[in-house]
Amino acid sequence: MRVAIVGAGVAGLSCGQALLSAGAEVHWFDKGRATAGRASAKRAFGGHVDLGAQYFTARHVAFREQVERWQQQQLVAPWPAKLYSFAEGHLQPSADDIKRYVGLPAMHSPWRSGLPEQAITLSCRIQAMSYQQGWQLQAEDGRSFSGFDALVLALPPAQASELLTQDEDLRQQVPVSMLQPCHAIALALSEPIAHPATAVFVKDRPVSWVACNSDKPGRQSDSQHWVLHFNPEFSQQQLAARADELSLLAQAELSLLFQQDVLVTQSLHQRWLYAIVDAEQGAPGVLISRRFPCVVAGDWCLGGRVENAWLAGQQAAKAVFHV
Ligand code: FAD
């Protein structure tokens, strides 16, 4: 069986690896320049900076077993963050017993490991698909790919919906507005912040998350650097905000949280249009077409987050054999 997977984020990669293990021939297509989507990191400040997913949990037994294998291969490590919360102007310790993991040396490392590079086409945005005895995919740059028995769309819902023009029934089931945007900023500092906190959940401010990326295990770095996520409401209202404006605001937020001056030497911005699942919209599960051999999967199918993206990919792989 030849399977095309559009989207090589955690869900698409997890699905493809499961299909390869089951003997299928897999080909991934991704519009990005590298794999891992929202769980990828950028090269900056002498190492890698996690601008998307910050850590992941491993609650489900199957994912826990996978994480243990990655730990043995030194692709993953626990991140014992010194957690704080900031609410009503107060910063206070907020430890919990949740075990948080990060990829080593960058968030994308476990998903990129062992991938058959020749089976991945990057910088390739699929803009149309059609089915006639097999799937044909049309890329934005004019290339076309054909001869696939089954297709997995491992995409955020709005991007999956755009491709489902031939299958109105399936398209109707896709919750297009389920992912909210997020502006992410990384700030490299001239002097480390003098405070024990390494991660802060923030309430009632434009930012919702602040973390010391250089504190994570295995990170190389020229200087202490922090990642700040603006909350979905602010990010939506300021969707077109410029990187330099956001960087100044992030600096002010960092200063306010820790009650000290911070001097920024470099900054990095990423706007995620489809970032975080709006939990109030529920979780529709992996979607399977009734008309064509096609499955739609992503973190949003099971409630968001890295762990659910991986689990959705595994479920999509099983579904492929029944479409
Ligand atoms: P994606 O990673 O979105 O993968 C979809 C892929 O499809 C992308 O690589 C994209 O390039 C590609 N694509 C889209 N359209 C096309 C097209 N037309 N043609 C070809 N390719 C296409 N999760 C946690 O567990 N913990 C966290 O701390 C956490 N923090 C987060 C913070 C931010 C700012 C963001 C953005 C996400 C965060 N998440 C976190 C969520 C986590 O990153 C996601 O749940 C997970 O990575 C989603 O994986 P996915 O494969 O479902 O989707």
Side-chain angles (χ1 to χ4, degrees):
M1 184 187 248
R2 282 191 87 213
V3 186
I5 302 180
V6 183
V10 173
L13 295 173
S14 151
C15 175
Q17 294 282 28
L19 287 169
L20 284 174
S21 302
E25 189 185 326
V26 174
H27 202 105
W28 287 272
F29 300 91
D30 200 292
K31 69 181 173 63
R33 278 180 293 172
T35 55
R38 281 175 275 154
S40 58
K42 277 199 170 167
R43 261 187 194 285
F45 313 150
H48 285 98
V49 182
D50 304 329
L51 281 167
Q54 297 294 292
Y55 61 82
F56 54 89
T57 52
R59 296 184 172 95
H60 190 282
V61 63
F63 190 56
R64 236 181 8 242
E65 285 168 9
Q66 177 62 67
V67 169
E68 274 165 24
R69 285 193 288 277
W70 283 331
Q71 262 187 282
Q72 281 158 13
Q73 298 166 51
Q74 300 188 339
L75 292 165
V76 159
W79 177 35
K82 294 185 193 75
L83 263 189
Y84 277 63
S85 65
F86 183 89
E88 294 170 356
H90 298 292
L91 184 62
Q92 51 191 21
S94 150
D96 59 28
D97 54 9
I98 296 171
K99 200 156 187 186
R100 295 175 170 82
Y101 297 90
V102 294
L104 279 184
M107 191 52 81
H108 50 236
S109 305
W111 292 283
R112 290 193 186 163
S113 164
L115 284 177
E117 299 296 330
Q118 72 286 358
I120 308 173
T121 304
L122 294 169
S123 304
C124 180
R125 182 193 284 270
I126 301 300
Q127 66 171 17
M129 54 189 230
S130 58
Y131 186 78
Q132 264 180 343
Q133 292 168 341
W135 283 106
Q136 184 166 50
L137 303 177
Q138 195 69 46
E140 190 180 50
D141 60 10
R143 283 181 288 174
S144 69
F145 308 89
S146 58
F148 299 104
D149 305 304
L151 174 67
V152 178
L153 297 182
L155 303 171
Q159 289 165 321
S161 172
E162 280 171 20
L163 292 175
L164 289 169
T165 51
Q166 244 192 340
D167 195 335
E168 186 55 23
D169 174 47
L170 185 56
R171 203 176 68 80
Q172 289 291 336
Q173 297 174 53
V174 176
V176 278
S177 61
M178 198 166 179
L179 292 194
Q180 303 167 310
C182 175
H183 281 295
I185 290 276
L187 301 176
L189 308 184
S190 62
E191 294 291 334
I193 285 180
H195 195 282
T198 56
V200 187
F201 288 106
V202 186
K203 277 205 178 123
D204 308 324
R205 300 288 318 160
V207 297
S208 53
W209 168 257
V210 171
C212 184
N213 192 74
S214 45
D215 169 70
K216 291 179 178 175
R219 286 347 189 227
Q220 289 186 334
S221 173
D222 295 340
S223 56
Q224 192 187 64
H225 59 267
W226 291 73
V227 169
L228 294 92
H229 287 161
F230 287 90
N231 70 41
E233 295 74 34
F234 176 91
S235 300
Q236 182 65 54
Q237 280 162 14
Q238 302 292 328
L239 214 49
R242 292 201 324 260
D244 56 341
E245 294 166 348
L246 291 166
S247 169
L248 281 176
L249 190 52
Q251 181 178 1
E253 290 289 293
L254 208 52
S255 204
L256 177 110
L257 252 60
F258 291 117
Q259 292 292 300
Q260 53 194 269
D261 289 338
V262 292
L263 197 60
V264 171
T265 53
Q266 290 176 78
S267 71
L268 188 65
H269 168 238
Q270 176 139 9
R271 184 183 73 169
W272 301 96
L273 267 186
Y274 307 111
I276 312 278
V277 161
D278 175 4
E280 286 177 12
Q281 293 195 37
V286 166
L287 304 176
I288 303 167
S289 171
R290 293 189 198 115
R291 292 186 60 201
F292 304 105
C294 175
V295 179
V296 184
D299 62 337
W300 50 276
C301 295
L302 302 179
R305 296 184 291 109
V306 165
E307 176 170 10
N308 284 323
W310 186 86
L311 290 167
Q314 299 287 301
Q315 290 184 15
K318 287 200 183 103
V320 162
F321 288 109
H322 300 289
V323 288

